Amino acid sequence: MSDCSLSRTERLRSLGAVRRLFESGESGFIFPFRYVWFAEPDTETSVEVLFSVPKKFHKRANRRNLLRRRTKEAYRLQKQMLCDNGNPVNLDLALIYSSKEVLSYKTIAHAIRKILATIHERL
C-alpha cells in the first residue's frame, strides 16, 4: 500500500532543483499537459515531481485544486512505470496543466500514462 503513496519526499520542493529543471530540462506536450523533465545518473533511483495548474487558465481556486488532485491521483497510481528502469537515475518532473477546460479524470490519467511512457523510453 505504501508503494502507491505520494510522500513529501517525492515532491519537487527545492528552488535550485526547480530552476535547474526549467533551465536545462527537456520538455514536451501531450494534451492537456506541458511537461518538463531532467534526468541525471545517480547511485539510487529517485523521482521527484511538481504539479502546477496556472491561475491564468483557471481563476477559481476550487477548480485548480480539483485538477491538481486529479493529476496527483493519476500520477500516484502510475508512477511505478518510471521506477522499473534498469539503471538508477535521479529524475525531476514538472506536470503543467495547460487546458482551459476541466477535463475528466479518465482523460487526465490517459495523458499521464502517455507522458510517463515517453519519459521511460527516453531513459
Side-chain angles (χ1 to χ4, degrees), residues 30-122:
I30 294 179
F31 182 80
F33 291 101
R34 177 176 172 260
Y35 63 96
V36 182
W37 61 282
F38 179 77
E40 60 183 1
D42 200 1
T43 56
E44 62 182 47
T45 301
S46 69
V47 179
E48 293 184 356
V49 65
L50 169 86
F51 303 98
S52 176
V53 180
K55 195 173 185 178
K56 177 181 179 180
F57 296 133
H58 300 281
K59 302 293 184 199
R60 297 198 167 261
N62 60 351
R63 284 193 181 161
R64 290 194 306 272
N65 291 339
L66 171 72
L67 293 169
R68 198 174 304 116
R69 280 196 311 268
R70 286 180 181 175
T71 305
K72 284 181 182 180
E73 181 69 7
Y75 173 78
R76 183 185 70 84
L77 294 174
Q78 299 172 31
K79 69 179 182 177
Q80 69 274 4
M81 291 174 66
L82 293 176
C83 297
D84 294 340
N85 197 11
N87 49 344
V89 66
N90 183 12
L91 177 70
D92 295 338
L93 172 66
L95 297 169
I96 304 152
Y97 190 88
S98 300
S99 175
K100 293 184 178 181
E101 303 168 3
V102 176
L103 298 173
S104 68
Y105 171 79
K106 186 176 180 181
T107 306
I108 290 173
H110 182 67
I112 296 288
R113 187 178 310 117
K114 287 171 65 174
I115 290 169
L116 296 181
T118 302
I119 293 173
H120 184 70
E121 288 175 5
R122 300 285 303 273

